Amino acid sequence: MPVFDYDPSDPDEVAFIKTAARYYQVYEVHSGMMLAESDELRATGIQYSQQDLEHYAQGQPSFIDLQTDQGKIRLRNESLPAEGDLFLLVVGASARPMEDTLNSFLKALAWLIPSGVLLAAMASWFMAGKALQPVAELGKAAGEIVVSRLDRRLPVRGTHDELDQLAIQFNDTLAKLEKAVGEMKQFTASISHELRTPLAVLRGEAEVALMEANSTDHYRRILASQLEEFEKLSRMINQLLTLARAESGEVNIAREPVNISNMTRSLAEQLEPVAASKDVTLLCNCEPGVILSGDASWIERIILNLADNAIKFTLPGGHVWITVTKSMNDAVLEIADDGIGIAAEGIPRIFERFYRADPSRANRADGAGLGLSLVKWAVDQHQGSIHVESTPGSGTRFIVKIPLAAEGVVHQL
Ligand code: ADP
């Protein structure tokens, strides 16, 4: 019988020995004899054979599980060499508490997993709904934007997240769209207005001719006046068509050497009588041989439009100066006058279609405010720049720069 060495006054040790001494067997390996056995293990009827003993005594300490009426018992086999002999100590412990814990854990899991999944699904649904709410709001706000209400904007929450970025971008695009639609509306309104005026004049004159003209001479005068109106109308319609074609990308700009010095000089000669009829002095000073690469008809249009405006907006006794020079790699065309000038707030807008800085002062029938839009478009097409300086009452200066033709091209001229 084994003797357990412990302190019987220590309740912890007593409890430990009670558990440890519940299942045990001691064998002498060589003889195969069982030297001692606890009552509870005896009740299970387990007994190692000689072969088992030798097997367990040689190997590392091992465990075996034993299924009994009292539940599962886990046995540990440990060989104990002592005084030239070899013993095998078998100590067991009930696996029931462990199994009970495991079972209750599995039961808990069986509850916890479905309820956890359900909870997670509900939480995700709630969170997704909360996270997507701003998207839904944005969508609703976007859906309310129609062409007639382009001044509306999407709400920006100030959270600086992706949705805010999206709303800002969308609002920017809306602003551009609003501007474009506004311009389009204004353009349409302006066209109708600009066409109505000369048509009304023509109609009025025709009525006068029918009702009042009583001599060939009178008819002639009315027809001559009508011819002028027709002339202005067709000029405006031509400008409109050219602008529409240019902006829709239908116009091709030629790339040929253009001697802007010669061209400007010859145009200035043609314009001189027009200037003289208004008592405006036209002075032209062109550095010879300035050659750029571009489209002759469009360059001519640029010069004519700017010079025409300079003469038109200069009072009798005033001057218009036209110069052509070279600067670095550019041909520089300057058209200056000491005319009425343009107010500061009008300067950024003069290249807009139909814009006239002071429609009451300018001769309305004379221009539709399309000339500078075409000039700007043509300059852009030539990779050039146009710049304007003006002081009301003192005069205006337009500076156009267009890249010179390459050296090789110039020699071909
Ligand atoms: P318009 O057919 O009226 O001349 P433009 O597009 O050529 O149209 O010019 C737009 C407006 O710019 C003119 O109506 C005028 O108010 C202003 N402007 C252009 N050139 C001059 C200038 N040299 N002096 C004063 N105002 C000018």
Side-chain angles (χ1 to χ4, degrees):
M1 211 27 211
V3 179
F4 298 102
D5 181 14
Y6 68 99
D7 177 3
S9 63
D10 182 341
D12 282 350
E13 280 193 39
V14 173
F16 173 75
I17 289 297
K18 204 172 165 209
T19 322
R22 220 174 137 195
Y23 303 104
Y24 70 83
Q25 285 177 338
V26 182
Y27 293 90
E28 191 192 40
V29 177
H30 298 305
S31 64
M33 235 170 65
M34 186 193 288
L35 303 180
E37 183 176 25
S38 68
D39 294 341
E40 287 196 52
L41 200 53
R42 179 177 305 114
T44 66
I46 184 175
Q47 176 144 17
Y48 285 173
S49 65
Q50 182 66 31
Q51 207 180 350
D52 291 338
L53 287 175
E54 280 166 14
H55 169 73
Y56 292 129
Q58 277 161 21
Q60 291 294 317
S62 58
F63 291 99
I64 53 169
D65 285 341
L66 192 66
Q67 200 59 51
T68 70
D69 301 344
Q70 300 155 32
K72 197 194 278 176
I73 301 173
R74 176 159 287 187
L75 299 175
R76 182 185 159 95
N77 310 310
E78 182 131 9
S79 60
L80 301 169
E83 299 161 15
D85 215 343
L86 183 61
F87 299 93
L88 183 76
L89 173 64
V90 182
V91 184
S94 168
R96 183 172 261 171
M98 197 171 73
E99 277 185 334
D100 288 351
T101 315
L102 211 63
N103 281 340
S104 47
F105 182 64
L106 281 176
K107 268 188 210 146
L109 272 190
W111 271 104
L112 277 176
I113 289 177
S115 49
V117 167
L118 195 72
L119 209 71
M122 277 166 64
S124 321
W125 183 76
F126 175 74
M127 296 296 282
K130 219 171 152 51
L132 291 179
Q133 192 189 350
V135 180
E137 277 168 13
L138 274 190
K140 188 165 171 276
E144 283 167 2
I145 296 169
V146 286
V147 177
S148 55
R149 290 304 316 267
L150 283 177
D151 56 333
R152 290 201 175 179
R153 293 292 176 268
L154 295 187
V156 177
R157 295 164 306 146
T159 45
H160 306 291
D161 57 6
E162 286 79 1
L163 271 186
D164 258 12
Q165 292 301 325
L166 184 75
I168 291 170
Q169 294 279 344
F170 194 84
N171 286 344
D172 276 359
T173 312
L174 268 183
K176 285 185 200 141
L177 204 67
E178 187 187 7
K179 188 166 174 264
V181 170
E183 278 171 11
M184 225 164 67
K185 279 188 189 159
Q186 201 203 333
F187 188 54
T188 320
S190 305
I191 292 181
S192 342
H193 178 78
E194 298 297 333
L195 290 178
R196 211 178 294 133
T197 315
L199 283 176
V201 173
L202 283 170
R203 188 199 163 106
E205 287 180 338
E207 279 171 0
V208 169
L210 276 178
M211 286 157 58
E212 294 175 15
N214 46 17
S215 66
T216 323
D217 211 38
H218 198 172
Y219 275 122
R220 267 185 196 284
R221 266 186 281 125
I222 290 175
L223 280 177
S225 160
Q226 286 204 326
L227 265 185
E228 259 179 48
E229 287 300 323
F230 278 125
E231 181 61 32
K232 284 171 199 162
L233 249 182
S234 77
R235 201 171 60 218
M236 189 170 95
I237 290 171
N238 276 340
Q239 276 185 326
L240 264 175
L241 284 178
T242 314
L243 199 64
R245 278 176 51 224
E247 290 192 342
S248 66
E250 272 178 47
V251 177
N252 288 324
I253 294 284
R255 290 275 166 236
E256 55 201 15
V258 178
N259 187 324
I260 190 176
S261 312
N262 290 348
M263 182 186 273
T264 309
R265 222 174 287 126
S266 122
L267 289 175
E269 273 168 26
Q270 288 174 36
L271 284 170
E272 233 166 59
V274 183
S277 72
K278 273 202 67 186
D279 194 17
V280 169
T281 312
L282 182 68
L283 300 155
C284 179
N285 186 5
C286 297
E287 184 181 317
V290 180
I291 294 160
L292 53 82
S293 164
D295 191 311
S297 63
W298 280 101
I299 300 294
E300 196 177 286
R301 198 187 273 261
I302 294 173
I303 302 168
L304 273 178
N305 262 310
L306 294 177
D308 193 50
N309 275 348
I311 298 169
K312 197 162 66 181
F313 296 107
T314 298
L315 300 173
H319 301 80
V320 170
W321 296 271
I322 306 181
T323 57
V324 171
T325 50
K326 264 189 217 169
S327 149
M328 312 277 284
N329 296 323
D330 290 324
V332 184
L333 167 74
E334 276 191 47
I335 298 188
D337 62 65
D338 54 3
I340 62 170
I342 307 165
E345 64 271 16
I347 290 184
R349 299 195 54 198
I350 54 169
F351 297 108
E352 286 175 15
R353 290 172 298 189
F354 290 117
Y355 181 78
R356 283 176 297 203
D358 189 351
S360 59
R361 211 158 19 143
N363 180 355
R364 284 197 73 91
D366 229 27
L370 293 170
L372 286 181
S373 313
L374 278 168
V375 167
K376 173 85 172 80
W377 181 84
V379 171
D380 287 347
Q381 294 301 304
H382 283 83
Q383 281 79 48
S385 65
I386 182 160
H387 176 70
V388 56
E389 296 163 4
S390 188
T391 313
S394 296
T396 306
R397 175 191 301 271
F398 280 90
I399 304 147
V400 176
K401 290 185 180 173
I402 292 176
L404 290 170
E407 279 295 315
V409 179
V410 174
H411 288 307
Q412 288 168 19
L413 260 189

